Amino acid sequence: MADTPTSFPSRRALIAALALALPQSALAAPRRVVTVLGDSITAGYGLPAAAALPARLQAELDRLGVSALVRGAGVSGDTTAGGLARLDFSVQKDTAVCVVALGGNDLLQGQDPKRTKANLDRIVARLKARKIAVVLAGLKPPAVIGRAYAREFEAVFASVARAHGAALYPNLLAGVAQTPDLNQRDGFHPNAKGVQVIARGLAPVVAKTLAARA
């Protein structure tokens, strides 16, 4: 009696079977990268990595259902000039959105707002030239600083964002600055609860900017 021919699965059936066997994470599209370029707040001064801004922003984006990978690029003590100098190294080419969170140390050093504006302008322009969308995080100077200087410094961020069509988050420390329960003992750096407040406020702006690039 002749042997029965062996039945081989079709190529399409084989591919489908392999796809079902793979974990869903292997089939998902790569997550878009969000880089946070900043100073000690971004670097997570005084906090474990899991409580720092990049990790908490990642968690908030996850909570919003946004597929993204947040990458921290913070250097403690950095000014806008420092961020500009290391921009190409710190913001890698796979970045889709860059949150620029610099200027706090310029403010503490009493730098000329025109210099801060020029540095931020160059940062945003170079990121845009690389096809990277920008969320510019501003700062609101405390009341103890002279009114004229405070107004000029605060206006820098809106002016740069408007000039380049970048998204603006007006005050990175909104709801956190000068609130003892949300800051570390130095009164300048947010504690874990404070970082959570920042991340929750910032995440929707980042999510909207990512969506605009879809």
Side-chain angles (χ1 to χ4, degrees):
M1 186 167 111
D3 293 336
T4 303
T6 304
S7 177
F8 291 97
S10 69
R11 183 179 179 184
R12 182 177 296 176
L14 183 59
I15 292 173
L18 288 172
L20 288 172
L22 288 171
Q24 289 299 310
S25 59
L27 300 174
R31 293 187 294 173
R32 289 177 295 172
V33 174
V34 175
T35 299
V36 188
L37 179 72
D39 48 33
S40 54
I41 294 176
T42 301
Y45 176 87
L47 298 171
L53 182 57
R56 300 324 306 158
L57 180 58
Q58 176 77 73
E60 284 300 310
L61 290 173
D62 290 344
R63 187 179 66 84
L64 294 173
V66 177
S67 179
L69 174 65
V70 179
R71 184 181 292 151
V75 173
S76 292
D78 224 357
T79 60
T80 54
L84 175 61
R86 65 182 175 89
L87 179 65
D88 295 335
F89 171 79
S90 295
V91 183
Q92 297 177 30
K93 63 182 180 180
D94 60 347
T95 299
V97 172
C98 181
V99 178
V100 179
L102 289 162
N105 289 306
D106 296 50
L107 179 64
L108 289 174
Q109 294 173 15
Q111 292 191 18
D112 185 342
K114 292 181 177 64
R115 180 181 178 188
T116 298
K117 182 179 180 179
N119 291 334
L120 288 174
D121 184 81
R122 292 176 64 189
I123 288 171
V124 177
R126 281 167 57 176
L127 289 169
K128 286 191 66 180
R130 294 171 57 191
K131 309 300 183 186
I132 297 172
V134 176
V135 174
L136 183 59
L139 289 170
K140 186 175 179 62
V144 293
I145 292 179
R147 289 182 180 178
Y149 179 85
R151 282 196 302 268
E152 187 177 0
F153 192 91
E154 185 177 0
V156 160
F157 302 94
S159 178
V160 172
R162 185 167 53 250
H164 294 281
L168 175 67
Y169 187 64
N171 182 11
L172 184 67
L173 297 177
V176 176
Q178 300 180 341
T179 303
D181 289 347
L182 299 178
N183 285 279
Q184 299 180 45
R185 293 179 66 181
D186 61 13
F188 289 104
H189 295 93
N191 58 25
K193 291 192 297 183
V195 170
Q196 185 61 42
V197 171
I198 294 170
R200 184 152 292 188
L202 184 60
V205 181
V206 175
K208 184 176 180 180
T209 305
L210 279 168
R213 289 178 55 88

